[in-house]
Amino acid sequence: MSSPANGQPPSDHHSAATKSAPKTSAWQSLSSRFNDTLWVRLFPFLRWLPLSGDVVRGDLIAGIIGALVLVPKAMAYAQLSGLPVYHGLYAAFIPAIIGALWGSSRQLLTGPVAVVSLMTASALVPLAIPGSTDYVGLALLLALLVGVIQISMGAFRLGTIVNFLSHPVIIGFINAAAIIIALSQVNKLLGIPLGRSDSFLYDVWGMFTYVGDTHLPTLLMGLLAFAIMIGMKKFTPPGIARTSVLVAVVVTILVSWLAGFEHVSQVKIGLIADRNARGLVTDYARIEERARALSADIAVKSAELRELHKASTGETRSMIALKHNIDLLRLELSNKEQELQRHQRAVRKLHFELASGDANQPPTLYLAGHVPAGVQSDGRRWHIKKIEKGEMKLAGGGEVVGSIPSGLPSFSLPKLSWDGIVQLMSAAFIIALVAFMESISMAKAIAARTRQRVEPNQELIGQGLANVTGSFFQSYPVSGSFTGSAINLDAGAKTGIASVFNGLFVAVTLLLLTPLLYYLPQTVLSAIIIMACGSLLNFEAIRRTWRANRQDGVVVIVSFMLTLVFAPHLDKGVLAGAGLALVLYLYRTMQPRVAVLARHPDGTLRDAQVFGLKTCEHISVIRFDGQLYFANTSHFEDKIMERVALNPDLRYVIVLGDGINHVDAAGEETLAHLTERLHPTGIEVLFVGLKKQVVDVIVRTGLYDKLGAQHFFRTDDLALEYAWQQLGNNHEADCPLNIVCPVSPPSR
């Protein structure tokens, strides 16, 4: 070794180096720990750094490919949720960026999805008219509530709470939801009305009574979209097949524009020639206007009541009067809504022919087939699409998306109201859980392929922030998208930058491309939604669950049926299924398997009843499979006492406790009571293979010291040897439990 330049001995130099090394190492360790615990937790996207040019270029391409496919799907899902289609684009913009930046999965794309869109509609339809200002406001409030719930769960590390929605419940719900989604779009595919009531199945049945009024151009346009999407998926390579939705949209927009697919007209109610039809439409418009006024009045008076509650500690006379007034208004509103539904069904059956007037004569609407002789009509069948301020918006052709506001969504806080929060809270909680389950399932599937780590609680925070931030920018509830995430993965996305580019491309669409979407037929959006339902349907999963466990199979079927029956109130189906799953779980744990064991010819202890083995009259070996807690202690005690009653000469009960993984206070008390009850009769209870957590309980309660260490054994052979020694008189040689064999397969 050469000497250092400063002339110091090598040993001194080495000593100085070793003194400074720990300081450097400690600093690096502290810095690394600081980054991991603070900055990366606050800003998870820092894990992507450093970014190379190749990664950014690849993510840019993946983001553009994904956006091209998902823009029309986002519009379709907004239609499914009952919102104007441009809210789907809003939901695919800001939430996609926020979800990527604060989530844990690098390929998971956040945006509008079919199931959450349907659940949004089911939560809001009973509260407001789809597409109305009130409906949009409630949708934004729902997104805010969903986000707050998800952020709270993630912050308190409650990601495991989604386990309360068991896998069988989700399977049944998703399959039923797929059917409901598909059926909800049939009316737009055929160009016929679909009623809205408290029974979705009743509405669907009523819809099929209008099949004879199918609008043929609308149906043909939908079939054209189906043909393009199915044909491309079947006959083109996977990379090209992914653009099938985009191709279908472009082709149908061109056909719609060239063929003049849309026909709309504004006509005053007074121009209806038939007196009865005119009266029916007038009554409908009057009732609808009154219902709107009542809703507004209730909202104002409810706000006044809340202010009075804040100002007073008790209930005053003015509060009582105001409550009574609100109850009367709600009763009247309920009656008006029922009237509105009856009139709505009648109004939807009206079809008109329009006779154009001259310069001095306005046009006249005649009931279809009742145009007077000598009067020339335009030959179209018109139906009422909307009534507002004494004017009817008539549709005489297919429905198109129409004008989409250009520009980015404006920033505004959702309108907070206590009534709205109360009415939406249960639905928000269910949507938060279902949306997260859908997101984390896709994230874990991606992680299995990319070998990345997914943090469920961080994903909850990311999805929650996406919903909260989205609610400030006109977005309804969103979730991790199966389709979008799969496109990201297949397109080679390496980081969440791909989802950021996806959201930015949606912003470009909102700024520059919305005029090109005007002639997009709404039936095409319905076709896109119905095609998406194919990926949700999974009847094989139902069959597999049934084969695996009959009780889980029952949960799947019941969840499936109740979701259909309760539709459009989907949260009731989920809660009922979750409740049934919990009840069946408790039932299973209330009666766990208690097996009386005997020696098998192969030398192992096995279930005597299953294998037809002979048991010992002096020693009974019993295995308990399950946790011993308050719900099953009586079952355990009954099985022990049953063996005592069947064997008058019984002297020892050996409890194999290797299957007991938990004992609560009731379970410990049962063990103590059982030993005290049997001891005076000359029967000793021995315990074998108890787990540490069980031993800790009986040590803390003093039961271990009370019984003595001689009653606890590590193996069944040691317990049997002790019992034979105590019995004496060569009982070991005659005992059926004493068969020796070198083969030791697992007990059953």
Side-chain angles (χ1 to χ4, degrees):
M1 179 182 292
S2 61
S3 299
N6 61 6
Q8 294 293 329
S11 58
D12 292 343
H13 177 78
H14 179 73
S15 176
T18 55
K19 287 179 181 179
S20 62
K23 294 181 181 179
T24 304
S25 177
W27 170 255
Q28 290 175 345
S29 176
L30 180 62
S31 175
S32 175
R33 198 178 306 131
F34 179 75
N35 288 335
D36 288 341
T37 57
L38 182 59
W39 290 111
V40 173
R41 287 188 180 182
L42 291 175
F43 307 104
F45 52 86
L46 293 178
R47 292 193 181 102
W48 307 343
L49 302 176
L51 292 171
S52 66
D54 291 339
V55 169
V56 173
R57 280 192 297 272
D59 286 351
L60 174 62
I61 294 171
I64 293 175
I65 292 173
L68 287 172
V69 175
L70 293 175
V71 161
K73 282 198 171 186
M75 297 168 65
Y77 293 147
Q79 174 178 287
L80 176 61
S81 69
L83 291 162
V85 294
Y86 51 85
H87 282 276
L89 298 177
Y90 297 162
F93 171 33
I94 294 294
I97 297 173
I98 299 299
L101 293 175
W102 272 272
S104 65
S105 175
R106 298 190 179 190
Q107 284 82 22
L108 185 69
L109 177 65
T110 302
V113 297
V115 173
V116 174
S117 298
L118 178 63
M119 296 183 74
T120 298
S122 71
L124 302 183
V125 164
L127 306 178
I129 300 172
S132 65
T133 303
D134 290 339
Y135 191 93
V136 172
L138 289 172
L140 304 184
L141 177 59
L142 181 62
L144 177 64
L145 294 176
V146 169
V148 169
I149 291 170
Q150 290 178 329
I151 292 174
S152 301
M153 290 170 58
F156 290 101
R157 310 192 71 78
L158 297 177
T160 55
I161 200 172
V162 297
N163 294 331
F164 282 102
L165 292 181
S166 65
H167 186 60
V169 173
I170 294 300
I171 290 175
F173 168 74
I174 293 295
N175 279 276
I179 293 174
I180 293 169
I181 290 169
L183 289 176
S184 70
Q185 299 303 305
V186 172
N187 67 308
K188 290 185 173 65
L189 192 66
L190 302 178
I192 57 179
L194 172 66
R196 289 189 180 270
S197 68
D198 282 340
S199 174
F200 175 77
L201 295 180
Y202 175 79
D203 293 339
V204 170
W205 177 258
M207 175 189 68
F208 284 115
T209 62
Y210 291 96
V211 169
D213 296 328
T214 297
H215 187 244
L216 191 58
T218 297
L219 176 60
L220 292 175
M221 192 70 76
L223 293 177
L224 174 61
F226 274 123
I228 294 172
M229 290 186 288
I230 295 174
M232 290 187 65
K233 287 187 175 182
K234 190 172 183 180
F235 299 111
T236 61
I240 298 175
R242 292 191 198 97
T243 64
S244 60
V245 172
L246 178 63
V247 173
V249 167
V250 172
V251 171
T252 52
I253 286 176
L254 290 173
V255 172
S256 171
W257 174 56
L258 294 172
F261 181 69
E262 180 199 28
H263 291 281
V264 293
S265 181
Q266 290 281 130
V267 178
K268 292 185 178 297
I269 296 176
L271 298 179
I272 299 176
D274 186 89
R275 181 183 301 174
N276 293 331
R278 186 169 63 250
L280 177 64
V281 175
T282 302
D283 289 343
Y284 177 82
R286 176 179 50 80
I287 296 169
E288 187 177 40
E289 187 63 31
R290 178 57 181 164
R292 286 200 193 98
L294 287 170
S295 296
D297 203 8
I298 290 172
V300 171
K301 292 188 182 303
S302 297
E304 292 178 10
L305 183 60
R306 286 193 297 274
E307 291 299 323
L308 289 176
H309 275 298
K310 291 179 183 178
S312 176
T313 55
E315 194 169 54
T316 63
R317 184 175 297 178
S318 58
M319 287 183 187
I320 296 173
L322 194 54
K323 281 183 179 178
H324 179 67
N325 195 355
I326 292 172
D327 289 339
L328 290 177
L329 290 173
R330 284 177 174 161
L331 180 61
E332 184 182 356
L333 178 60
S334 177
N335 292 333
K336 292 299 179 185
E337 287 176 342
Q338 292 176 9
E339 281 187 69
L340 203 59
Q341 287 181 2
R342 289 195 299 268
H343 280 71
Q344 191 177 54
R345 282 192 286 269
V347 167
R348 281 176 174 157
K349 292 180 180 179
L350 296 176
H351 287 84
F352 302 97
E353 292 184 50
L354 183 63
S356 301
D358 52 28
N360 299 320
Q361 183 69 27
T364 305
L365 276 177
Y366 296 97
L367 289 175
H370 292 79
V371 179
V375 176
Q376 185 68 31
S377 74
D378 60 1
R380 294 188 179 276
R381 285 172 62 89
W382 298 85
H383 65 272
I384 299 173
K385 187 175 180 181
K386 188 177 181 181
I387 304 174
E388 192 171 13
K389 296 180 180 179
E391 286 199 345
M392 301 177 295
K393 184 177 181 181
L394 301 178
E399 295 190 24
V400 298
V401 168
S403 298
I404 298 176
S406 296
L408 302 179
S410 60
F411 175 85
S412 63
L413 296 177
K415 184 179 179 182
L416 299 177
S417 70
W418 181 251
D419 291 338
I421 293 173
V422 170
Q423 290 173 322
L424 294 175
M425 185 55 72
S426 63
F429 186 73
I430 297 297
I431 291 174
L433 292 183
V434 172
F436 175 63
M437 288 197 71
E438 188 168 354
S439 301
I440 200 64
S441 298
M442 188 62 193
K444 287 181 177 179
I446 292 172
R449 290 182 56 181
T450 60
R451 299 187 179 183
Q452 296 173 7
R453 183 185 172 209
V454 174
E455 299 177 17
N457 291 303
Q458 184 62 50
E459 203 59 57
L460 263 173
I461 293 174
Q463 294 295 309
L465 284 172
N467 276 297
V468 169
T469 310
S471 71
F472 300 153
F473 292 93
Q474 315 300 310
S475 168
Y476 69 97
V478 295
S479 171
S481 167
F482 278 95
T483 304
S485 303
I487 292 173
N488 261 353
L489 186 63
D490 293 343
K494 300 298 183 184
T495 71
I497 291 291
S499 297
V500 174
F501 284 135
N502 192 305
L504 293 176
F505 188 84
V506 172
V508 172
T509 301
L510 285 166
L511 289 170
L512 304 175
L513 305 180
T514 52
L516 302 178
L517 299 172
Y518 180 94
Y519 290 101
L520 174 61
Q522 290 196 6
T523 184
V524 175
L525 298 180
S526 297
I528 293 170
I529 292 173
I530 294 173
M531 285 289 292
C533 292
S535 62
L536 296 176
L537 283 172
N538 189 357
F539 292 117
E540 177 57 33
I542 295 178
R543 285 194 294 269
R544 189 166 58 249
T545 303
W546 178 264
R547 291 170 186 160
N549 185 286
R550 288 290 186 267
Q551 289 187 354
D552 285 344
V554 170
V555 171
V556 168
I557 293 171
V558 169
S559 299
F560 176 81
M561 297 301 297
L562 290 182
T563 301
L564 288 176
V565 170
F566 285 136
H569 305 288
L570 302 185
D571 55 329
K572 293 182 180 179
V574 175
L575 290 173
L580 177 62
L582 186 59
V583 168
L584 291 177
Y585 168 76
L586 291 174
Y587 177 76
R588 285 196 299 269
T589 59
M590 285 175 64
Q591 294 185 321
R593 186 183 182 193
V594 181
V596 178
L597 306 183
R599 188 72 70 178
H600 192 272
D602 65 8
T604 60
L605 292 175
R606 297 201 181 190
D607 193 321
Q609 183 178 1
V610 172
F611 292 95
L613 303 176
K614 185 179 179 181
T615 58
C616 180
E617 60 182 3
H618 301 294
I619 304 172
S620 185
V621 182
I622 297 175
R623 187 180 66 221
F624 185 82
D625 295 330
Q627 57 179 323
L628 185 61
Y629 74 115
F630 67 92
N632 61 22
T633 53
S634 60
H635 176 69
F636 171 72
E637 190 172 5
D638 289 345
K639 290 295 182 181
I640 298 291
M641 298 311 297
E642 181 182 315
R643 294 304 303 165
V644 172
L646 292 174
N647 294 276
D649 297 327
L650 189 65
R651 294 285 305 280
Y652 289 93
V653 174
I654 300 178
V655 178
L656 263 64
D658 53 356
I660 304 175
N661 52 28
H662 172 73
V663 172
D664 67 357
E668 187 277 337
E669 185 177 357
T670 297
L671 294 178
H673 175 69
L674 192 63
T675 56
E676 292 173 358
R677 183 176 176 184
L678 294 179
H679 188 267
T681 65
I683 299 175
E684 288 189 55
V685 181
L686 310 179
F687 298 95
V688 175
L690 294 180
K691 295 182 178 178
K692 180 183 182 300
Q693 60 265 34
V694 177
V695 174
D696 289 344
V697 172
I698 61 178
V699 168
R700 287 197 301 267
T701 59
L703 179 60
Y704 186 91
D705 293 334
K706 182 178 180 181
L707 295 179
Q710 69 273 18
H711 288 83
F712 297 90
F713 301 88
R714 292 185 179 276
T715 67
D716 49 29
D717 287 336
L718 292 175
L720 286 170
E721 185 179 349
Y722 170 82
W724 288 324
Q725 288 177 357
Q726 297 299 314
L727 287 170
N729 299 324
N730 296 321
H731 281 91
E732 179 180 359
D734 301 331
C735 181
L737 293 168
N738 187 25
I739 299 176
V740 180
C741 180
V743 181
S744 299
S747 61
R748 178 177 174 184

